[in-house]
Amino acid sequence: MPLVTTKEMFEKAYDGGYAVGAFNVNNMEIIQGITDAAAELKSPVILQVSKGARSYANHTYLKKLVEAAVEEHPEVPIALHLDHGADFDICKSCIDGGFTSVMIDASSHPFDENIEITKKVVEYAHDHGVVVEAELGTLAGVEDEVNVSAADSSYTRPEEVEEFVSRTGCDSLAIAIGTSHGAFKFTADQCTRNADGILVPPPLRFDVLEECIKRLPGFPIVLHGSSSVPQEYVKMINEFGGEMPDAIGIPEDQLREAAKLAVCKINIDSDIRLAMSAVIRQYLAQNPSHFDPRQYLKPAREAVKDMVSHKIVDVLGSNDKI
Ligand code: G3H
Ligand code: 13P
Ligand code: ZN
């Protein structure tokens, strides 16, 4: 099948109590690892491209690589999505350039401006058969060149979501309930320690999520910043020359709970980066004379596939849904 929008994916996910994974793509190996996992597990998938990905790999290369994945896996519903579009122009460029979904992230603007910017994108996107994700509330963490401190982040205000969705006409809404971008989501002072001395991050604000769901029945909610920062990969990175002390993410059981509710899209990028970096560091440390990129990118691609397979089965619950 050709690239799809997220409309039908989200309807099925909402009713089925699961979420669709949205994974950031930057090169061929990442696209192959993700889509091979989705095909093997019969899962729909969203491939998302950030502004940084477009400047690293180029829009056309990414689009063509995604088209190759569509051709290889014709049975898998694949949506091609712009992640964190900052303004109308980048959204327009992706809509004109064949994406089936865009995010307009005007969440750093005041409420009325966010509505105005989002509405303009929605009008253009809908005229071209493309769906739009918008955002209310501000996540902490690093995304593109912007670093939002925990102090400057803010939870979504549930009392604003109905007005926002009805005035903008957006198709899905990203909300802030305590997730955060990047591999260093929480400082040690924000966490508690469990009996084994392991840092435990503050729980997600399910009360905020539930309030939003109550006010937007049947409407798909999106969670950004949902990597879990698996400690085995952090350990591997640190063992093979890296330095990532105190990297910490969102516990997967909480994401699984969110996926059973109205959360239909869960964004995961950092976990893929960690898995690739860990495996490449280990490979090169263990094979010091190897220099062919295919030698170390092959296990890295396998690591992406394993990571995505694990997310599909244990976090998203989107396996066997096609
Ligand atoms: O939320 C941002 C994504 O992780 C993309 O990151 O801007 O470094 O491509 P990037
Ligand atoms: P992570 O940094 O937690 O992987 O979040 C990715 C994301 O939200 C992309 O938009
Ligand atoms: Zn994000």
Side-chain angles (χ1 to χ4, degrees):
M1 74 183 83
L3 282 172
V4 298
T5 73
T6 54
K7 192 171 166 28
E8 192 182 326
M9 273 184 197
F10 288 170
E11 280 165 9
K12 288 187 177 163
Y14 197 103
D15 293 343
Y18 63 91
V20 180
F23 302 99
N24 288 70
V25 298
N26 293 279
N27 65 15
M28 180 187 77
E29 287 75 11
I30 297 176
I31 292 172
Q32 289 176 330
I34 296 166
T35 53
D36 286 354
E40 209 166 281
L41 291 164
K42 300 185 182 1
S43 168
V45 73
I46 299 165
L47 302 178
Q48 55 185 14
V49 170
S50 68
K51 175 182 161 208
R54 281 175 105 226
S55 51
Y56 170 75
N58 170 308
H59 178 100
T60 310
Y61 278 89
L62 289 171
K63 174 81 197 320
K64 298 284 178 195
L65 285 168
V66 169
E67 281 169 4
V70 166
E71 199 174 313
E72 282 296 308
H73 303 295
E75 74 289 6
V76 180
I78 300 177
L80 178 55
H81 173 77
L82 167 67
D83 191 27
H84 292 286
D87 53 36
F88 177 79
D89 288 346
I90 187 169
C91 293
K92 180 179 183 304
S93 164
C94 289
I95 293 164
D96 295 345
F99 283 35
T100 54
S101 172
V102 293
M103 174 188 195
I104 171 69
D105 181 359
S107 60
S108 59
H109 295 264
F111 184 69
D112 281 313
E113 264 177 50
N114 186 353
I115 290 183
E116 198 182 313
I117 298 165
T118 301
K119 193 169 182 295
K120 186 173 170 196
V121 172
V122 169
E123 280 164 5
Y124 189 80
H126 286 182
D127 278 350
H128 292 78
V130 170
V131 291
V132 179
E133 173 186 326
E135 179 166 328
L136 254 188
T138 316
L139 267 70
V142 183
E143 144 217 324
D144 271 327
E145 298 94 38
V146 186
N147 188 351
V148 181
S149 71
D152 290 334
S153 67
S154 57
Y155 297 116
T156 302
R157 292 155 55 89
E159 59 275 24
E160 291 181 345
V161 297
E162 280 161 290
E163 182 184 348
F164 184 85
V165 168
S166 71
R167 282 177 61 192
T168 61
C170 66
D171 302 281
S172 60
L173 184 67
I175 62 169
I177 60 166
T179 59
S180 160
H181 288 110
F184 300 91
K185 297 189 188 299
F186 305 100
T187 60
D189 333 335
Q190 291 173 293
C191 301
T192 50
R193 279 190 195 277
N194 70 12
D196 302 322
I198 311 278
L199 286 177
V200 179
L204 294 182
R205 289 288 302 270
F206 274 86
D207 56 325
V208 174
L209 172 60
E210 274 156 17
E211 267 306 312
C212 291
I213 297 172
K214 234 187 262 168
R215 291 159 195 262
L216 293 173
F219 193 79
I221 303 287
V222 177
L223 289 187
H224 281 247
S226 296
S227 277
S228 297
V229 190
Q231 293 302 300
E232 64 269 27
Y233 281 127
V234 175
K235 225 173 123 205
M236 223 163 124
I237 287 172
N238 290 334
E239 195 179 325
F240 293 105
E243 264 184 55
M244 296 190 69
D246 302 329
I248 185 163
I250 310 293
E252 289 185 336
D253 55 336
Q254 292 181 39
L255 295 167
R256 183 72 200 97
E257 285 314 303
K260 288 179 189 161
L261 303 173
V263 172
C264 294
K265 173 175 181 273
I266 292 187
N267 285 12
I268 295 166
D269 183 14
S270 300
D271 284 353
I272 286 184
R273 296 179 182 196
L274 280 168
M276 291 185 91
S277 301
V279 166
I280 290 171
R281 279 188 182 280
Q282 182 188 47
Y283 184 90
L284 291 174
Q286 291 174 347
N287 299 278
S289 66
H290 288 190
F291 66 97
D292 179 343
R294 292 173 299 186
Q295 290 170 317
Y296 55 83
L297 288 176
K298 196 170 169 199
R301 179 173 59 191
E302 271 308 303
V304 174
K305 185 178 173 192
D306 291 348
M307 174 64 72
V308 172
S309 300
H310 160 66
K311 297 290 180 183
I312 286 174
V313 173
D314 301 316
V315 180
L316 303 157
S318 64
N319 48 306
D320 297 317
K321 299 295 189 290
I322 56 179

